[in-house]
Amino acid sequence: MLDREEILAFQRDGYAGPFDLPESFVRPYCTPVFAKSVVDHLVAEIEAGANPFSDRLRNQHLFSESLCALASEEGLLSRLSSILGPDILLWVGHVAPRWPDDEGHRWHIDADNKFIRGVHVSIALADNREENGCLRLIPGSHHHRASLTAAERIGLIDRMNTESVVAYADRVAPHNAPHQVRPMTMRRGQYFLMAEGMWHFVGRNETPEWRTNVIVRYARPDIACRNYGYDESEMIAGEPLACVLVRGEDRFNLNKIVPSPTTDLFQLDRDGPMPPDAQIPLSHRA
């Protein structure tokens, strides 16, 4: 569970952590065997012509027993229950590797997480540092009633320019100025929780190694999980999203609940040694 101060900080700042996963639990996910199986899966899907937002690329928790198990770690779910309550749905889950010189992602608000009022969790399978493009966020920005997509559309901000976005935050929420950017650095095996509506950015990976995280999102079952696309300036509900009930029960029947997978896209090395450092160099065809 989160303690009282952590809950208050999450409500105020929009994030909590980082926290540690048990080393024996997370170790198989940090080995070259798992990393190679991730890259092989991604390459095979892309070469087969898969859409980057297809289920087997974006919603791997529906097809991977190991990924679903990682997202269901007891300590993680216990902390989530402090925010979401006893009943928890997993509705997004995928491995997100950032290859060397990856450009990252401009400042944005996750539309689906905002409208579903979910909790975004990023799990580090390699060290997350500023130089390899760790996620950056603006504390308190989840309270701001502004759309970054709409602001860019009418020329108020440049979402690739951090100074532009911070200045805009100061304008829309002067009571919280001056806004600061918080780099979410983590050691491998750590994770943090992020609130819906947070303004965040992923920088360029300026190192020669891959930086690999697992992205998972959770919600309460009394919220209908739908595809809201990527424009947070308008709320247009799309198709229902398949969810795995990872804790508690669903008493509302608003969502498409599917069983946890019993097969796997990836391979775990449960007995192999932990690599000596946090970075796992890989080629596309490793």
Side-chain angles (χ1 to χ4, degrees):
M1 301 285 287
L2 296 176
D3 62 31
R4 180 175 181 275
E5 291 304 314
E6 289 170 330
I7 294 172
L8 290 175
F10 182 85
Q11 293 171 342
R12 179 189 66 238
D13 299 327
Y15 70 93
F19 305 103
D20 294 316
L21 287 166
E23 192 279 335
S24 60
F25 175 83
V26 75
R27 182 203 55 76
Y29 296 90
C30 299
T31 63
V33 170
F34 183 79
K36 180 180 185 302
S37 67
V38 168
V39 174
D40 287 348
H41 165 70
L42 295 178
V43 170
E45 290 293 312
I46 292 170
E47 288 186 346
N51 183 302
F53 303 106
S54 66
D55 270 350
R56 285 173 60 88
L57 290 176
R58 178 172 167 80
N59 296 315
Q60 296 163 353
H61 65 293
L62 303 177
F63 306 95
S64 170
E65 182 179 18
S66 60
L67 191 61
C68 206
L70 179 63
S72 303
E73 193 275 326
E74 182 56 34
L76 168 57
L77 294 184
S78 177
R79 290 185 172 101
L80 283 168
S81 69
S82 301
I83 300 168
L84 296 174
D87 307 318
I88 302 174
L89 300 178
L90 170 64
W91 56 274
V92 159
H94 57 267
V95 186
R98 299 288 181 180
W99 53 90
D101 207 36
D102 182 282
E103 293 184 358
H105 198 330
R106 60 188 175 174
W107 284 98
H108 64 286
I109 299 168
D110 296 316
D112 50 4
N113 205 41
K114 174 182 177 179
F115 297 133
I116 292 171
R117 298 168 60 191
V119 175
H120 172 112
V121 177
S122 182
I123 304 171
L125 302 187
D127 285 356
N128 283 216
R129 311 187 306 274
E130 292 191 57
E131 58 265 32
N132 69 4
C134 72
L135 184 145
R136 296 173 172 88
L137 54 81
I138 298 178
S141 58
H142 62 308
H143 293 304
H144 302 346
R145 301 305 179 207
S147 164
L148 296 183
T149 303
E152 183 179 58
R153 188 182 297 131
I154 61 176
L156 294 178
I157 60 171
D158 173 3
R159 289 199 285 154
M160 291 301 296
N161 185 299
T162 294
E163 290 184 0
S164 168
V165 174
V166 172
Y168 184 61
D170 289 345
R171 288 163 57 192
V172 300
H175 59 278
N176 203 39
H179 288 80
Q180 304 294 324
V181 175
R182 166 75 156 89
M184 293 304 300
T185 58
M186 293 188 287
R187 301 187 309 274
R188 77 174 154 185
Q190 292 189 313
Y191 64 92
F192 74 93
L193 317 181
M194 187 172 74
E196 46 86 14
M198 182 65 76
W199 300 15
H200 58 289
F201 172 89
V202 177
R204 178 186 294 274
N205 182 359
E206 298 175 350
T207 73
E209 290 88 25
W210 291 64
R211 176 181 66 75
T212 304
N213 284 26
V214 172
I215 304 302
V216 279
R217 292 181 185 155
Y218 305 85
R220 303 193 315 262
D222 61 338
I223 300 292
C225 295
R226 299 291 187 268
N227 180 7
Y228 288 98
Y230 298 90
D231 183 348
E232 89 291 358
S233 68
E234 55 182 355
M235 186 176 183
I236 302 176
E239 293 297 315
L241 300 174
C243 306
V244 175
L245 183 67
V246 290
R247 172 172 277 205
E249 59 181 318
D250 174 22
R251 293 165 290 171
F252 299 94
N253 298 314
L254 295 175
N255 289 288
K256 178 183 177 182
I257 307 297
V258 299
S260 299
T262 56
T263 57
D264 217 318
L265 300 172
F266 310 124
Q267 181 180 354
L268 293 181
D269 183 3
R270 298 187 183 278
D271 301 316
M274 181 78 91
D277 59 31
Q279 299 299 323
I280 305 173
L282 287 171
S283 71
H284 268 283
R285 303 296 293 187

